[in-house]
Amino acid sequence: MQDLHATRLALRAGQTSARTEMAHSVAVAGSPACAHAFTRPLFEAAGTEAERAGSGLPLAGLAFSAKDLFDIEGQPTPAGSQVLSHAPAARADAVAVARLRAAGGALIGRTNMTEFAFSGVGVNPHHGTPANAADATTPRIPGGSSSGAAVSVATGAAFIGLGSDTGGSIRIPAALNGIVGFKSTAQLVPADGALPLSTTLDTVCAMTRSVRDAVTAHEILAARRVGLTDAPLASYRVAVVTNTFFDGIEAPVDTAFHNALRQLRTAGARIEEITLPPLADLASINATGGFSAAEAYAWHRLLLERSGAGYDPRVAQRILKGATMKAHEYIDLLQARRGWIARMEAALAPFDAVLSPTVPITAPPIANVAPGAERDDEFFRVNGLLLRNPSVVNMLDGCAISLPCPVDGGLPVGLMLWHAALHDDVVLSLALQIEQALQNA
């Protein structure tokens, strides 16, 4: 499956057309592979946008999808829920949607998501759960909360899946579906027009088919040029954190990750194992509930009073935990985070980036975690494992990219490359080198 970069070259060479590419995208989006991936297809409008876009624009009329929490002019913004399905229509596109359209992107549809973005599993009781693109025989979780966006990219329906990442909601589905997901430093991309989960932790970002496409998507979303370097792999000093990130890891993930490390060392990477003592402080820092529950409750409290019965019970349960946080506890949390970030940045300062498994498990069957109180324990166990590693980067206010590890016929495994805030260009430059080294191994 060609990435955006290769398809643009083919367009310029006259080997394909925007109309042909959009017809393919629409066919895939309407196929069983994308069942439940879209909450609102926009196929006809996308065809018109593709025809109008010039080949000289960065996206050249090619398809992108948008998570259901982004405003699209003239449509309500349900965010994967039922309780907002008849909300007033948005008066304008979200900034991220507008920027992708201005770059020549054709919006193929709104994509399914965990209701209000509050889980990493991707299950939705209202719209169904899109199946992971990597397994055609057993329906497996897509990961969340940007579930449909990931499936749209992994199946070939879209070249860019616009989503959001509060605790891993771009990187988790990217890892489980075998694609690339880049979480930029949050401040680099405006969140205007995106329904919030946590105003402290939310990041607007995207999934793509390759790292070079991730660079392009980020440049459009952030309205800036990425300062890429062609420094060789051996010029970087990279850490692997041995504490926390490997707890509860499944054997296939551990094997794929360490095989990738061996391949990177063979290609010249300088990789050192380290421990990060500040990771042990996270549980106590978040003991009163963390940012997401408190900030989500502040947004949802009146809606829950009116329409709480219409929420996904698992989502409502998590939001309601925010009701008990006191003002002084929230202020303490802000201060504790600032101190924790300072300790983490000091520990990471000698390194250009850090490598970790994106998540410690492969995608379990949907049947194991489908809606139903009898499966709640397993759902929350899986959710905790999926969120643990990537959420460290959100707490750090950092940047991270998940790219596929080579696997021998098994389910996809993600490799996460990350660092603190505003290290985005180094992380992307190194990710290009790592992707090439793993593909050439």
Side-chain angles (χ1 to χ4, degrees), residues 134-214:
D135 191 340
T137 57
T138 301
R140 296 181 180 273
I141 65 165
S145 63
S146 308
S147 55
V151 173
S152 75
V153 173
T155 58
F159 287 89
I160 294 173
L162 177 64
S164 61
D165 190 308
T166 305
S169 290
I170 282 284
R171 289 159 290 152
I172 293 166
L176 297 185
N177 285 272
I179 55 176
V180 173
F182 176 57
K183 179 228 173 296
S184 62
T185 302
Q187 65 184 271
L188 294 179
V189 181
D192 305 64
L195 194 149
L197 171 57
S198 165
T199 51
T200 297
L201 303 175
D202 291 347
T203 306
V204 172
C205 42
M207 284 170 281
T208 57
R209 301 177 191 176
S210 66
V211 176
R212 61 185 180 181
D213 287 0

Side-chain angles (χ1 to χ4, degrees), residues 120-123 129-132 139-143 176-177 361-366 369 382 386:
V121 180
V123 173
T129 299
N132 192 301
R140 296 181 180 273
I141 65 165
L176 297 185
N177 285 272
I361 62 174
T362 56
I366 292 174
V369 293
V382 169
L386 290 173

Side-chain angles (χ1 to χ4, degrees), residues 111-133:
T111 51
N112 201 354
M113 57 180 284
T114 302
E115 183 186 66
F116 297 121
F118 213 164
S119 106
V121 180
V123 173
N124 188 301
H126 312 303
H127 303 294
T129 299
N132 192 301

